[in-house]
Amino acid sequence: MSQDPTASHEPSSPSSDQPAEPPRAEEPVSELSAEHGSELGAEPASERASEPSVGPAAEPAAEPAAEPVEAQAPVREQPTEVTRPLPPVPAGQYAAHQAPPFFPPATPPAPAPPSPGAPVGTHAKRPAVPAWTWPAIAATSLVLGLLGGVLGAGIQDRIDTSSLGLGSSGTRTAPPLAKDNQSIAAVADELLPSTVQVLASGNGAAGTGSGFVLDRAGHVVTNNHVVTGAADGGTVEVVAANGRVYDAEVIGRSRVYDLAVLKVAGAKELRPASLGASDDLLVGDGVVAFGAPLGLSQTVTAGIVSAKNRPVTTGSSSDESSFINAVQTDAAINPGNSGGPLVDLQGRVVGVNTAIATTGGVLAEAGNIGVGFAIPIEQVKVTADQILRTGEARYPVIGARVDTSDAQKGNGAVIDEVLANSPAQSAGLEDDDLVLAVDGVRVTDGIALIVRIRTFQPGDEVEFTVRRDGKERTLRITLGSEVG
């Protein structure tokens, strides 16, 4: 059986079709933030020139001519040390405390004679500023500041952040917890307010899944297979941690990556989860899964990272399936957990729970056996950003059909057919080529090849190592793009 990596694949990972139990209201946890400030060092001490005393005028006495005395620069007190160095002096200019080189300092001009009527030994004073001036200026500044804040808030409310992409919608990236945190309770306390239950109904079916708050604009991430039944004319509701129910709208979804983004009306007060990086995870690191397994909202389970970059398809070879480069975990994941966050011990989302392995047969619907899979958060960010900016998600393709059966498992991916006018044909890929590696990463079979290609973005140039007629060669393929 062959699969076309250019085609979209319907997910078939398990989700619960049981009616959701009424969620229990929980108090949301307030977010704490720390503000830090800094102080500048002391300002340099200023010099004060003493005023010469002025006495009665006296007749000048004639004195013999004296030898000329070389002018000397007045001795100046060194300024006290400051915490910031003085800026360099540009060419042709001099610092205020320096005299021009090669020239003696100019003789200070004689003080101007006092104006008529002014007392001897004093200077004329500037007119005083009326006392009411400063309160008036302060009041005016306050009013202008308040008006600016109101206008700015009004403009922000009118902006449709869904068209600005993920970077403009108010996401969080700072880790909420310390790097050495080992408390599952602390992770739960941080993430439960950002985890929601998703109720979807349509086409005569109803089901429940999970999700998490993506940003401050009221967007929620979940799995596509959680809302696919309600995508065309159905209804979607989101239940927050405090039990409040919100109406939601599917604004975009990807069958290929099994992701969907919801817009939740009136939910801007929900706290977004902090987004981390699955690339930073090590096998054996602790992780926590959140969601509503079997409709049991606000459920927390813990485990470790069992493996990374695990090629997984969420359906059988007879279906249109989603192919993901998954984070594998032994944290308990069951039907209803789909779409919920997988979180590291610093309280950052590192994946989206999406599938579990089963032993088949009568145990196919038994639920967790300790082998669960999550979509890496890196792919979630890319897909969510595409949906927020354009309303649709795109994925990379090479324009070839690949064998996804077990016949060549472990040996590489066999190309069944290279499509005409495709990137693969332009690069020189041929039917029956055996793909051994993509950008230096070994691929073991057709599914691994599809998953590896989908870790890149449309337009990327990728190196393929192939074997043809017993000889290895390298091809560079610029990836195409399709919606899905």
Side-chain angles (χ1 to χ4, degrees), residues 230-470:
D232 299 319
T235 60
V236 180
E237 294 178 322
V238 165
V239 184
N242 60 6
R244 183 174 176 181
V245 181
Y246 298 89
D247 292 329
E249 173 191 3
V250 180
I251 64 171
R253 57 197 183 101
S254 170
R255 294 186 296 272
V256 168
Y257 294 114
D258 196 12
L259 291 169
V261 178
L262 312 180
K263 177 70 173 181
V264 182
K268 290 186 178 181
E269 70 275 12
L270 296 181
R271 186 173 73 185
S274 181
L275 305 182
S278 68
D279 289 341
D280 295 340
L281 295 174
L282 300 176
V283 174
D285 280 350
V287 286
V288 184
F290 292 78
L294 306 178
L296 302 173
S297 64
Q298 300 289 286
T299 295
V300 177
T301 57
I304 64 168
V305 176
S306 303
K308 294 175 59 179
N309 302 316
R310 182 74 78 192
V312 173
T313 175
T314 59
S316 66
S317 59
S318 60
D319 307 316
E320 287 188 342
S321 305
S322 297
F323 295 88
I324 58 175
N325 196 36
V327 177
Q328 181 181 330
T329 179
D330 68 348
I333 297 175
N334 287 284
N337 270 118
S338 294
L342 185 70
V343 182
D344 66 14
L345 295 185
Q346 287 186 267
R348 302 173 300 175
V349 179
V350 294
V352 173
N353 306 321
T354 190
I356 58 175
T358 63
T359 56
V362 295
L363 296 178
E365 302 298 329
N368 173 67
I369 58 171
V371 185
F373 304 100
I375 304 168
I377 192 63
E378 289 81 1
Q379 184 58 59
V380 177
K381 292 177 183 178
V382 170
T383 301
D385 179 69
Q386 292 174 343
I387 290 174
L388 291 178
R389 287 188 292 105
T390 68
E392 61 186 16
R394 306 192 72 89
Y395 65 100
V397 296
I398 63 171
R401 300 184 187 279
V402 61
D403 184 0
T404 57
S405 68
D406 293 335
Q408 296 291 332
K409 193 171 183 65
N411 297 323
V414 176
I415 301 299
D416 277 349
E417 180 185 3
V418 175
L419 305 180
N421 302 317
S422 65
Q425 186 185 59
S426 299
L429 195 67
E430 297 180 2
D431 295 354
D432 300 323
D433 278 353
L434 181 67
V435 180
L436 303 176
V438 176
D439 244 27
V441 176
R442 180 173 174 266
V443 295
T444 57
D445 53 25
I447 291 176
L449 174 60
I450 295 172
V451 169
R452 178 62 179 157
I453 291 172
R454 290 181 181 173
T455 63
F456 296 93
Q457 297 305 311
D460 289 348
E461 187 179 69
V462 182
E463 183 179 274
F464 281 64
T465 303
V466 302
R467 181 179 295 159
R468 183 187 303 162
D469 300 328

Side-chain angles (χ1 to χ4, degrees), residues 92-248:
Q93 300 182 18
Y94 310 101
H97 64 284
Q98 292 177 329
F102 311 117
F103 295 96
T107 303
S115 59
V120 177
T122 63
H123 296 286
K125 296 182 179 180
R126 296 180 180 178
V129 178
W132 56 266
T133 303
W134 301 116
I137 292 175
T140 303
S141 301
L142 179 61
V143 171
L144 292 176
L146 292 175
L147 287 175
V150 172
L151 291 174
I155 293 173
Q156 178 65 28
D157 287 341
R158 291 171 178 266
I159 294 176
D160 182 9
T161 54
S162 64
S163 64
L164 298 178
L166 193 60
S168 303
S169 60
T171 56
R172 294 174 61 203
T173 56
L177 302 176
K179 188 174 183 178
D180 58 352
N181 174 64
Q182 296 297 317
S183 170
I184 304 300
V187 179
D189 187 58
E190 173 63 32
L191 263 294
L192 282 174
S194 302
T195 305
V196 299
Q197 184 178 11
V198 179
L199 307 176
S201 60
N203 299 324
T208 180
S210 305
F212 67 91
V213 182
L214 177 66
D215 54 29
R216 293 181 177 87
H219 294 113
V220 165
V221 168
T222 187
N223 279 141
N224 173 64
H225 73 258
V226 171
V227 298
T228 187
D232 299 319
T235 60
V236 180
E237 294 178 322
V238 165
V239 184
N242 60 6
R244 183 174 176 181
V245 181
Y246 298 89
D247 292 329

